[in-house]
Amino acid sequence: MGTAEVSDNLWGNKLYQQRAREAFPFLVRQALIGEPIYYSDLAEEMGMPNERNLNYVLGCIGTTILELSKQKNEDIPPIQCLVINKATKLPGEGFGWFISEADFKKLDTKQKRIVVNGQLSKIYSYPRWLELLDELGLNPPNFPEPIKKKSMGGGGEGEAHKKLKEFVANNPTVVELPQSCPRGETEFNLHSGDSVDVVFSWRKEIIAVEVKSLISDVGDIHRGLYQCVKYQAVLEAMLGIQGKPKNVKTLLLLEGNFPKELVSTKNMLGIDVLSNITVKS
């Protein structure tokens, strides 16, 4: 029996029900900005050491959505499918219990993506998420405070930045590419006038990497997140104009830790971050 089938609604004192009430506003936040969130990232924001425990939490939210849909005679989309696996970019198998298209577990990956994308469109366009939270007596989602300008110094340029950039370019495995991948191109020029620290071209994928060395402060890393947003959009536009059918993936890579105060911003922007990268000689 799948997790979703054994989860009660969120009104109760079981730990997963308490966590479901905490998680619901996070999911509404992601719905409002139109971004899914990884299991691991949601678990991190909620302070949960084991992301697998989210299965019961999400099942609980799904059960609640089903019950509310029946009570209100309203088609409320399954917001829990915003939480996806980092490897497959798909929700967990329990998602199949909440949809009518088919038995989700029996679909192949391409079919699952079609079903999920259809549900995501419904989630993003549903207009009553904030009202629903209020009706349930749950807190509205929190949005991160802007980084103050005085914290925006300490850029990542200089010898440390150059050393990290060259290390990444020469070691594709650092960004989870095979060793056989060609060396990355540093200072890759975009048509917007910007340049990306490192860009790898591997089969039908372009991987753009913005790097930040140990001397980068919170403000610089914050800027790096938004630089990734820009690079993603510009690279997609460039490839589209050139008629090159390649997927674009953008990463922020840090030599140090990723600041806790930027976790929610990262998750809302949907940026993949690699941190604590050791530069080896």
Side-chain angles (χ1 to χ4, degrees), residues 212 214 253-258 273-279:
K212 299 293 181 184
L214 283 174
L253 184 144
L254 309 179
E255 191 174 6
N257 295 318
F258 184 77
V273 176
L274 299 173
S275 58
N276 295 307
I277 301 301
T278 302
V279 178

mmCIF file of all heavy atoms in Angstrom, residues 212 214 253-258 273-279:
data_model
loop_
_atom_site.group_PDB
_atom_site.id
_atom_site.type_symbol
_atom_site.label_atom_id
_atom_site.label_comp_id
_atom_site.label_asym_id
_atom_site.label_seq_id
_atom_site.Cartn_x
_atom_site.Cartn_y
_atom_site.Cartn_z
ATOM 1 N N LYS A 212 31.475 30.697 -7.051
ATOM 2 C CA LYS A 212 31.759 31.658 -5.996
ATOM 3 C C LYS A 212 32.800 31.053 -5.055
ATOM 4 O O LYS A 212 32.598 29.970 -4.517
ATOM 5 C CB LYS A 212 30.495 32.007 -5.202
ATOM 6 C CG LYS A 212 29.388 32.646 -6.035
ATOM 7 C CD LYS A 212 29.767 34.021 -6.546
ATOM 8 C CE LYS A 212 28.638 34.644 -7.338
ATOM 9 N NZ LYS A 212 29.041 35.963 -7.918
ATOM 10 N N LEU A 214 35.620 31.106 -1.701
ATOM 11 C CA LEU A 214 35.449 31.259 -0.253
ATOM 12 C C LEU A 214 35.308 32.712 0.182
ATOM 13 O O LEU A 214 34.723 33.002 1.226
ATOM 14 C CB LEU A 214 36.647 30.630 0.478
ATOM 15 C CG LEU A 214 36.676 29.102 0.577
ATOM 16 C CD1 LEU A 214 37.997 28.655 1.187
ATOM 17 C CD2 LEU A 214 35.500 28.589 1.395
ATOM 18 N N LEU A 253 27.815 27.150 -8.027
ATOM 19 C CA LEU A 253 28.796 26.302 -7.352
ATOM 20 C C LEU A 253 29.586 27.138 -6.357
ATOM 21 O O LEU A 253 30.130 28.187 -6.712
ATOM 22 C CB LEU A 253 29.715 25.653 -8.383
ATOM 23 C CG LEU A 253 30.753 24.661 -7.850
ATOM 24 C CD1 LEU A 253 30.951 23.507 -8.823
ATOM 25 C CD2 LEU A 253 32.096 25.370 -7.613
ATOM 26 N N LEU A 254 29.649 26.653 -5.123
ATOM 27 C CA LEU A 254 30.312 27.391 -4.051
ATOM 28 C C LEU A 254 31.476 26.595 -3.482
ATOM 29 O O LEU A 254 31.364 25.387 -3.254
ATOM 30 C CB LEU A 254 29.334 27.683 -2.910
ATOM 31 C CG LEU A 254 27.991 28.320 -3.254
ATOM 32 C CD1 LEU A 254 27.168 28.489 -1.981
ATOM 33 C CD2 LEU A 254 28.182 29.654 -3.940
ATOM 34 N N GLU A 255 32.573 27.304 -3.226
ATOM 35 C CA GLU A 255 33.694 26.669 -2.542
ATOM 36 C C GLU A 255 33.382 26.496 -1.059
ATOM 37 O O GLU A 255 33.881 25.579 -0.415
ATOM 38 C CB GLU A 255 34.955 27.510 -2.717
ATOM 39 C CG GLU A 255 36.222 26.821 -2.274
ATOM 40 C CD GLU A 255 37.469 27.623 -2.585
ATOM 41 O OE1 GLU A 255 37.354 28.782 -3.056
ATOM 42 O OE2 GLU A 255 38.576 27.097 -2.358
ATOM 43 N N GLY A 256 32.536 27.354 -0.528
ATOM 44 C CA GLY A 256 32.167 27.289 0.876
ATOM 45 C C GLY A 256 30.747 26.813 1.096
ATOM 46 O O GLY A 256 30.149 26.158 0.235
ATOM 47 N N ASN A 257 30.196 27.150 2.261
ATOM 48 C CA ASN A 257 28.836 26.765 2.610
ATOM 49 C C ASN A 257 27.815 27.639 1.906
ATOM 50 O O ASN A 257 28.091 28.797 1.573
ATOM 51 C CB ASN A 257 28.610 26.888 4.127
ATOM 52 C CG ASN A 257 29.459 25.928 4.922
ATOM 53 O OD1 ASN A 257 29.608 24.770 4.548
ATOM 54 N ND2 ASN A 257 30.024 26.403 6.020
ATOM 55 N N PHE A 258 26.621 27.084 1.714
ATOM 56 C CA PHE A 258 25.526 27.903 1.211
ATOM 57 C C PHE A 258 24.818 28.529 2.413
ATOM 58 O O PHE A 258 24.439 27.819 3.357
ATOM 59 C CB PHE A 258 24.535 27.062 0.402
ATOM 60 C CG PHE A 258 23.437 27.885 -0.221
ATOM 61 C CD1 PHE A 258 23.686 28.631 -1.358
ATOM 62 C CD2 PHE A 258 22.176 27.925 0.349
ATOM 63 C CE1 PHE A 258 22.691 29.405 -1.927
ATOM 64 C CE2 PHE A 258 21.178 28.689 -0.206
ATOM 65 C CZ PHE A 258 21.433 29.440 -1.354
ATOM 66 N N VAL A 273 22.221 24.166 -6.461
ATOM 67 C CA VAL A 273 23.448 24.669 -5.839
ATOM 68 C C VAL A 273 24.328 23.497 -5.426
ATOM 69 O O VAL A 273 23.861 22.527 -4.814
ATOM 70 C CB VAL A 273 23.121 25.541 -4.600
ATOM 71 C CG1 VAL A 273 24.419 25.966 -3.898
ATOM 72 C CG2 VAL A 273 22.326 26.764 -5.014
ATOM 73 N N LEU A 274 25.608 23.604 -5.743
ATOM 74 C CA LEU A 274 26.623 22.671 -5.258
ATOM 75 C C LEU A 274 27.535 23.451 -4.322
ATOM 76 O O LEU A 274 28.074 24.484 -4.714
ATOM 77 C CB LEU A 274 27.432 22.080 -6.422
ATOM 78 C CG LEU A 274 26.664 21.265 -7.470
ATOM 79 C CD1 LEU A 274 27.573 20.894 -8.627
ATOM 80 C CD2 LEU A 274 26.063 20.027 -6.831
ATOM 81 N N SER A 275 27.702 22.971 -3.103
ATOM 82 C CA SER A 275 28.493 23.730 -2.127
ATOM 83 C C SER A 275 29.627 22.880 -1.548
ATOM 84 O O SER A 275 29.681 21.660 -1.753
ATOM 85 C CB SER A 275 27.584 24.229 -1.003
ATOM 86 O OG SER A 275 26.925 23.164 -0.361
ATOM 87 N N ASN A 276 30.516 23.551 -0.830
ATOM 88 C CA ASN A 276 31.668 22.913 -0.176
ATOM 89 C C ASN A 276 32.518 22.111 -1.174
ATOM 90 O O ASN A 276 32.888 20.968 -0.928
ATOM 91 C CB ASN A 276 31.194 21.995 0.958
ATOM 92 C CG ASN A 276 30.524 22.775 2.080
ATOM 93 O OD1 ASN A 276 31.089 23.720 2.611
ATOM 94 N ND2 ASN A 276 29.301 22.394 2.421
ATOM 95 N N ILE A 277 32.798 22.744 -2.302
ATOM 96 C CA ILE A 277 33.635 22.132 -3.330
ATOM 97 C C ILE A 277 35.108 22.398 -2.998
ATOM 98 O O ILE A 277 35.525 23.542 -2.849
ATOM 99 C CB ILE A 277 33.300 22.689 -4.724
ATOM 100 C CG1 ILE A 277 31.832 22.427 -5.059
ATOM 101 C CG2 ILE A 277 34.223 22.076 -5.764
ATOM 102 C CD1 ILE A 277 31.408 20.974 -5.053
ATOM 103 N N THR A 278 35.880 21.343 -2.885
ATOM 104 C CA THR A 278 37.301 21.461 -2.546
ATOM 105 C C THR A 278 38.135 21.541 -3.814
ATOM 106 O O THR A 278 38.058 20.666 -4.682
ATOM 107 C CB THR A 278 37.770 20.251 -1.719
ATOM 108 O OG1 THR A 278 36.963 20.171 -0.536
ATOM 109 C CG2 THR A 278 39.224 20.385 -1.343
ATOM 110 N N VAL A 279 38.913 22.610 -3.929
ATOM 111 C CA VAL A 279 39.821 22.775 -5.085
ATOM 112 C C VAL A 279 41.066 21.961 -4.830
ATOM 113 O O VAL A 279 41.789 22.164 -3.850
ATOM 114 C CB VAL A 279 40.189 24.256 -5.286
ATOM 115 C CG1 VAL A 279 41.156 24.396 -6.452
ATOM 116 C CG2 VAL A 279 38.942 25.089 -5.527
#
